[in-house]
Every structure is written in structure tokens, then in C-alpha cells.
């Protein structure tokens, strides 16, 4: 069964795709409430760091440390090294990953540092990313695909 907040992350990914960007979305949840949502906006903002997870953290705004340590991060794709670093930096204890078939990020590193990582293998996430990679290999490869 797909966690409800993963649907919100998928909506963010679809929003990014509709804007001409890379379809990766994320939401940061604290005690059952979304406090930050985002999607990969590297293309839209000509940014090197606005991955879905980074955008969700940015949009959550400055939070007290305990908020991050009590939060869960939902993301449509396995977190890359940069996003995993932010997860570790802020002490986010749990990450729910939509899929890691198209890209396996730093899940093992997160687990080795005590983060609970649940990978869903959601068919919608898998299909959306696979189609994007097939249709836009050059854009995918300029970032984390290469």
C-alpha cells in the first residue's frame, strides 16, 4: 500500500515535469502534517542544488532542530549524495523512497548512520522516472544519472 504522503511527493514530481523539469518530488512531514514540499527545479531555476528533497527543505523554512529530528521525508526517487547529506545534517530519522530501480542513491549510507529507509517501489514513480530518462537522457546525465 502506498503511503498517503508519497502521493503528495508524486504530485510535486508531476508539477516539476509539467514545468519542463525533472520529475522528482518530495515532502517533509512533521507529526502528520506537511511542513515543506518541493520538486526538482534545477532546470526551471538554473540551479545546481534544487533537487526535490533540497527544495522541500528550503520551502519548509528555518525550523527548530527538534522538528527535523521528529520528521519524515517522502521522496519519489532514492536520495543522491547531496540530499542524503542534508538528511544526515538535519537528523531526519526516516525517509520513505518511492523507488530506487532507476537510480539507487545513498540508501546504504543513510541506513549505516541510523536513518530508517523504506523503499516502496511504487509503479507510478518507477514509470514516471523511466520515461523521463528515456525521453531526456542528456538532461538526466548532466546531474545524477552520469
Amino acid at each position: 500500500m502506498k503511503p498517503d504522503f508519497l502521493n503528495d511527493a508524486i504530485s510535486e514530481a508531476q508539477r516539476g515535469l509539467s514545468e519542463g523539469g525533472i520529475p522528482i518530488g518530495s515532502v517533509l512531514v512533521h507529526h502528520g502534517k506537511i511542513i515543506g514540499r518541493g520538486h526538482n527545479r534545477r532546470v526551471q531555476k538554473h540551479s545546481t542544488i534544487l533537487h526535490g528533497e533540497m527544495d522541500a527543505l528550503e520551502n519548509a523554512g528555518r525550523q527548530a532542530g527538534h522538528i527535523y529530528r521528529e520528521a519524515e521525508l517522502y521522496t519519489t526517487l532514492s536520495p543522491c549524495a547531496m540530499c542524503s547529506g542534508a538528511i544526515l545534517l538535519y537528523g531526519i530519522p526516516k525517509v520513505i523512497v518511492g523507488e530506487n530501480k532507476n537510480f539507487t542513491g545513498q540508501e546504504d549510507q543513510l541506513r549505516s548512520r541510523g536513518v530508517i529507509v523504506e523503499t516502496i517501489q511504487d509503479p507510478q514513480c518507477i514509470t514516471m522516472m523511466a520515461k523521463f530518462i528515456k525521453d531526456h537522457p542528456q538532461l538526466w546525465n548532466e546531474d545524477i544519472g552520469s
Side-chain angles (χ1 to χ4, degrees):
M1 187 170 102
K2 184 186 318 187
D4 290 340
F5 292 116
L6 184 57
N7 287 323
D8 294 294
I10 291 169
S11 292
E12 284 294 324
Q14 291 168 333
R15 182 175 171 200
L17 185 61
S18 73
E19 294 170 352
I22 301 168
I24 303 169
S26 185
V27 294
L28 184 64
V29 177
H30 181 257
H31 293 303
K33 180 182 175 205
I34 295 174
I35 60 171
R37 58 175 57 237
H39 52 278
N40 188 301
R41 295 191 301 155
R42 286 189 333 95
V43 173
Q44 301 92 311
K45 295 288 188 175
H46 302 284
S47 171
T48 58
I49 62 169
L50 278 181
H51 287 193
E53 299 90 338
M54 301 298 280
D55 195 39
L57 285 165
E58 178 70 15
N59 290 328
R62 186 174 169 207
Q63 300 290 328
H66 75 92
I67 300 293
Y68 299 110
R69 293 187 299 273
E70 297 168 355
E72 298 177 338
L73 184 73
Y74 291 76
T75 183
T76 58
L77 186 66
S78 185
C80 72
M82 175 179 65
C83 296
S84 293
I87 290 164
L88 293 172
L89 177 67
Y90 290 104
I92 297 168
K94 186 174 182 181
V95 179
I96 297 85
V97 177
E99 69 106 344
N100 68 2
K101 294 210 179 272
N102 287 293
F103 173 79
T104 302
Q106 305 298 310
E107 294 176 27
D108 288 342
Q109 178 194 24
L110 290 170
R111 286 185 184 102
S112 77
R113 299 278 299 274
V115 177
I116 297 166
V117 179
E118 293 180 11
T119 306
I120 306 298
Q121 304 303 9
D122 178 73
Q124 189 176 5
C125 292
I126 294 167
T127 301
M128 180 171 44
M129 186 51 59
K131 181 175 179 355
F132 179 83
I133 292 168
K134 180 178 179 262
D135 293 347
H136 305 281
Q138 193 169 23
L139 181 57
W140 173 249
N141 287 324
E142 84 180 37
D143 191 17
I144 61 176
S146 57

